[in-house]
């Protein structure tokens, strides 16, 4: 290697799909995707690993595919953290500076952060993310960037994200056992927000709803600051499950029906619209009314959106100073459901749009990558690039050379690819999230990086000692 390229790698461990994505910035500062690998997610339920062996195999499958597609070898990845064990709290703390005649430095802010990290948590929980919101210096409120200012008493409000330590360590174990290093952790709603939200939306006030396979994530921004996060333990999988039960068909067929013919708005389908599903093993085909299908989908989507709307109300969006002027942005695989935008607007009364990650992508990117499905993965690559590390390096390949598969027990991995057969095949709905992009290093980005560096080191030490 004659020079070092800044290559980023994101690994989105979702409930339905695991995605590995390799990317770099082009000459225009846009994200150029070099390689993409997908595998069916085996061993993950509602964002939480419940089978280590299957998850490792799925990660290896996705990593191998990304390497073969790109011609790069992956060293380390930034992984998204999500799951029903994630919760968030608000906290306020302060320090009295020993010398108010000196300007406030990053060390003062780090001291404040360390105090917040000593908050008492429930048994088995650990703080995984500390996000500063606003600072107060000697009683003067509304300060976003305190570094370089004078003052004796430095106070700040923080958004603290908490999760189960065991769940996070399980993710670390799966990544390391797959033969790659864990270079960073990112809360998945933050990754998704970086990929699909503009700075103007974050300033005006916006709620990002990421409808994944196993969970629905919420991130609320106002005045450019993260104000509220939540994880709802329902996603696209429960819709598929309802279709399977309601229509008495197998899961593969239910998923295909949802993706190809599903609608969140029953009034759009006429009573005589019927789809025929091939019977199993020579049984008669089954006819399903699209109106009934939409009613099943509608009932479950309404339940998910109402739970998310309850969280938005808990944030207090009805107060004038907390009003979300930019409304709602939908992303994730579930955002591709027909008429879901209209249903969300009907339930919440807020302006809604579908969030695509193409704003940060190079113009020649494949159409598949700019889908809401890959919002989280794109955000994770953006976060990896911020670390200024070389997460992957170019493989010097001879002509007609094909990478070997021998380091992967691929024969044990069942990955479904759509085939042109009469039997319907599934495109697994995938759940993605994206991340926060900082062009100028701020107090928030410094804190985020330093804290995550320490947390990743803590996980690595734990895993090393456990061996």
């Amino acid at each position: 290697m004659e020079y070092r390229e800044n290559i980023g790698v994101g690994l989105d461990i979702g409930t339905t799909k695991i995605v590995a994505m390799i990317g770099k910035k082009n000459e225009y500062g846009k994200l150029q995707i070099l390689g993409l690998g997908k595998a069916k997610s085996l061993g993950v339920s509602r964002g939480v690993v419940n089978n280590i062996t299957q998850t490792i195999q799925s990660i290896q499958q996705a990593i191998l595919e990304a390497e073969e597609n790109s011609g790069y070898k992956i060293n380390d990845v930034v992984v998204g953290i999500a799951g029903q064990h994630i919760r968030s709290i608000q906290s306020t703390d302060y320090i009295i500076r020993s010398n108010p005649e000196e300007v406030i430095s990053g060390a003062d802010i780090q001291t404040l952060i360390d105090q917040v990290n000593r908050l008492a948590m429930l048994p088995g929980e650990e703080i995984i993310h500390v996000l500063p919101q606003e600072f107060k210096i000697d009683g003067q409120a509304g300060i976003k960037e305190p570094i370089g200012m004078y003052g004796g008493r430095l106070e700040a409000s923080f958004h603290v994200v908490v999760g189960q330590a065991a769940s996070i360590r399980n993710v670390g174990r799966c990544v390391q056992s797959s033969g790659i290093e864990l270079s960073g952790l990112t809360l998945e709603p933050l990754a998704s927000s970086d990929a699909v939200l503009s700075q103007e939306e974050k300033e005006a006030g916006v709620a990002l709803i990421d409808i994944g396979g196993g969970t629905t994530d919420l991130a609320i921004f106002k005045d450019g600051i993260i104000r509220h996060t939540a994880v709802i333990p329902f996603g696209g999988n429960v819709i598929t499950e309802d279709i399977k039960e309601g229509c008495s068909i197998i899961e593969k067929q239910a998923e295909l029906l949802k993706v190809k013919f599903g609608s969140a708005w029953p009034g759009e389908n006429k009573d005589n619209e019927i789809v025929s599903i091939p019977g199993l093993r020579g049984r008669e085909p089954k006819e399903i009314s699209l109106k009934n299908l939409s009613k099943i989908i509608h009932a479950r989507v309404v339940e998910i959106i109402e739970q998310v709307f309850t969280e938005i109300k808990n944030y207090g969006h009805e107060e004038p100073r907390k009003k979300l002027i930019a409304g709602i942005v939908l992303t994730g695989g579930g955002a591709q459901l027909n008429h879901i935008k209209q249903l969300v607007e009907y339930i919440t009364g807020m302006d809604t749009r579908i969030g695509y990650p193409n704003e940060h992508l190079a113009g020649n990117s494949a159409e598949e990558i700019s889908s809401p499905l890959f919002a989280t993965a794109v955000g994770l690559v953006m976060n990896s690039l911020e670390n200024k590390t070389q997460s992957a390096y170019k493989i010097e390949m001879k002509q007609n050379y094909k990478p070997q598969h021998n380091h992967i027990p691929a024969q044990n991995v069942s990955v479904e690819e759509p085939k042109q057969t009469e039997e319907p095949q599934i495109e697994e709905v995938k759940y993605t999230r994206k991340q926060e992009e900082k062009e100028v290093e701020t107090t928030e980005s410094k804190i985020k990086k330093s804290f995550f560096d320490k947390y990743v080191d803590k996980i690595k030490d734990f895993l090393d000692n456990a061996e």
Side-chain angles (χ1 to χ4, degrees):
M1 280 180 322
E2 290 138 15
Y3 68 98
R4 288 177 62 83
E5 285 185 291
N6 182 17
I7 306 290
V9 183
L11 183 67
D12 176 19
I13 303 177
T15 303
T16 46
K17 269 189 186 151
I18 290 178
V19 175
M21 190 178 278
I22 305 172
K24 67 176 182 178
K25 291 278 180 76
N26 66 10
E27 63 268 33
Y28 305 108
K30 295 291 188 181
L31 185 61
Q32 180 184 345
I33 303 302
L34 302 170
L36 174 70
K38 308 186 291 259
K40 185 170 183 182
S41 185
L42 305 170
V44 180
S45 174
R46 290 183 177 172
V48 177
V49 174
N50 59 14
N51 185 314
I52 294 280
T53 307
Q54 288 185 326
T55 304
I56 290 169
Q57 290 174 349
S58 296
I59 290 172
Q60 288 177 327
Q61 184 76 13
I63 291 288
L64 178 69
E65 189 180 319
E67 288 178 342
E68 290 186 340
N69 288 344
S70 65
Y72 281 76
K73 180 84 177 111
I74 294 173
N75 294 326
D76 55 68
V77 293
V78 169
V79 176
I81 291 292
Q84 56 191 11
H85 61 94
I86 300 288
R87 67 185 183 93
S88 61
I89 53 177
Q90 298 298 121
S91 176
T92 304
D93 211 336
Y94 72 92
I95 57 168
I96 303 296
R97 301 181 64 235
S98 56
N99 185 0
E101 299 304 314
E102 287 183 3
V103 295
I104 294 168
S105 68
D108 294 313
I109 292 171
Q110 192 58 52
T111 303
L112 193 50
I113 297 301
D114 292 341
Q115 279 188 196
V116 176
N117 282 320
R118 289 196 286 271
L119 282 173
M121 292 292 118
L122 296 174
E125 282 190 335
E126 284 187 18
I127 294 173
I128 58 171
H129 214 15
V130 177
L131 293 162
Q133 296 190 309
E134 282 169 318
F135 293 88
K136 199 185 276 189
I137 300 174
D138 293 343
Q140 180 188 344
I143 295 169
K144 290 185 181 177
E145 183 54 89
I147 291 177
M149 301 178 78
Y150 290 97
R153 177 186 163 111
L154 176 64
E155 186 178 346
S157 58
F158 291 95
H159 184 75
V160 183
V161 180
V162 180
Q164 289 291 342
S167 296
I168 297 160
R169 285 171 181 158
N170 284 340
V171 170
R173 165 66 71 198
C174 290
V175 172
Q176 287 200 338
S177 300
S178 302
I180 48 179
E181 289 298 315
L182 177 68
S183 66
L185 294 166
T186 298
L187 189 64
E188 292 204 340
L190 294 182
S192 300
S193 68
D194 272 347
V196 302
L197 297 182
S198 68
Q199 191 57 38
E200 289 81 6
E201 285 176 316
K202 291 179 182 178
E203 290 287 345
V206 66
L208 177 81
I209 302 174
D210 189 331
I211 306 173
T215 58
T216 298
D217 297 349
L218 171 70
I220 296 176
F221 292 84
K222 178 73 176 175
D223 300 326
I225 298 167
I226 181 83
R227 298 293 185 181
H228 188 74
T229 52
V231 178
I232 313 292
F234 300 108
N237 278 4
V238 290
I239 301 172
T240 305
E241 192 67 26
D242 284 0
I243 297 170
K244 186 177 91 171
E245 299 296 330
C247 300
S248 300
I249 55 178
I250 62 173
E251 188 174 340
K252 195 179 290 189
Q253 295 170 331
E255 180 74 16
L256 184 79
L257 272 181
K258 178 182 77 174
V259 172
K260 301 294 183 193
F261 303 104
S263 167
W265 201 267
E268 290 295 316
N269 296 113
K270 300 183 176 63
D271 291 324
N272 60 354
E273 286 184 300
I274 302 288
V275 64
S276 180
I277 298 287
L280 292 175
R281 290 273 177 181
R283 293 176 178 84
E284 289 294 310
K286 194 181 285 281
E287 291 191 341
I288 291 163
S289 157
L290 290 188
K291 197 172 197 67
N292 287 343
L293 175 69
S294 292
K295 283 179 179 174
I296 294 170
I297 295 171
H298 174 81
R300 182 60 87 174
V301 174
V302 166
E303 183 185 349
I304 292 170
I305 298 304
E306 283 181 342
Q307 287 204 41
V308 175
F309 195 38
T310 300
E311 290 286 346
I312 295 174
K313 287 176 184 168
N314 289 345
Y315 152 75
H317 84 293
E318 286 164 352
E319 296 176 33
R321 64 188 185 86
K322 291 187 173 182
K323 187 173 171 62
L324 303 178
I325 295 167
I328 289 171
V329 176
L330 295 172
T331 193
Q336 298 179 115
L337 192 60
N338 288 334
H339 305 112
I340 192 166
K341 171 182 176 291
Q342 290 87 335
L343 180 62
V344 171
E345 287 182 335
Y346 177 76
I347 292 172
T348 64
M350 298 166 74
D351 289 341
T352 304
R353 74 171 178 90
I354 307 295
Y356 298 91
N358 48 11
E359 182 184 336
H360 301 288
L361 294 174
N364 59 353
S365 298
E367 189 179 336
E368 179 190 31
I369 294 167
S370 58
S371 156
L373 271 173
F374 296 109
T376 305
V378 171
L380 292 172
V381 174
M382 288 165 61
N383 181 246
S384 179
L385 287 170
E386 281 178 18
N387 296 339
K388 298 282 188 286
T389 58
Q390 190 181 32
S391 296
Y393 61 88
K394 190 91 174 158
I395 302 169
E396 297 298 330
M397 286 194 287
K398 296 171 190 157
Q399 209 167 11
N400 300 328
Y401 171 77
K402 300 242 172 163
Q404 295 298 312
H405 294 233
N406 52 12
H407 67 292
I408 306 289
Q411 65 274 17
N412 297 329
V413 184
S414 148
V415 180
E416 309 226 342
E417 293 290 342
K419 298 186 184 84
Q420 297 299 322
T421 65
E422 290 187 27
E423 193 63 17
Q425 299 287 327
I426 317 175
E427 296 173 278
E428 299 94 7
V429 173
K430 161 179 170 344
Y431 116 67
T432 50
R433 345 253 172 229
K434 257 154 241 179
Q435 209 211 16
E436 253 184 319
E437 156 195 348
K438 305 272 178 292
E439 297 191 345
V440 180
E441 185 160 52
T442 62
T443 301
E444 181 176 350
S445 65
K446 285 174 190 162
I447 289 170
K448 191 166 84 169
K449 284 179 187 171
S450 66
F451 182 74
F452 267 128
D453 289 344
K454 284 203 293 189
Y455 197 81
V456 171
D457 290 341
K458 197 194 297 184
I459 290 179
K460 287 178 181 171
D461 290 344
F462 174 84
L463 293 175
D464 291 343
N465 294 335
E467 286 172 355

